[in-house]
Amino acid sequence: MFLLIAYGISVAIFGLYYNYEYAQTHGFLAWLFFGEIIATLKSLVWPLFEFGII
């Protein structure tokens, strides 16, 4: 149960990070239309991005 809670917290933190990164890279309007979906999906699989698997 602890691992599930820790993963959920890390998804929330990386969700904020990837949303900010997407808005800075692509601009506010692109983030407004697509960024929330893309960044949220990316935050769900954040270990794959952070450890270089993808």
Side-chain angles (χ1 to χ4, degrees):
M1 189 65 167
F2 172 75
L3 291 176
L4 187 62
I5 292 171
Y7 179 72
I9 292 171
S10 69
V11 166
I13 292 170
F14 275 97
L16 292 172
Y17 172 72
Y18 287 134
N19 274 299
Y20 176 76
E21 182 184 71
Y22 192 91
Q24 290 295 316
T25 305
H26 295 45
F28 178 74
L29 287 177
W31 173 82
L32 192 61
F33 292 115
F34 303 112
E36 186 68 31
I37 296 168
I38 294 170
T40 302
L41 292 175
K42 192 174 177 182
S43 71
L44 288 174
V45 294
W46 70 264
L48 300 176
F49 288 99
E50 294 301 316
F51 296 124
I53 296 170
I54 292 180

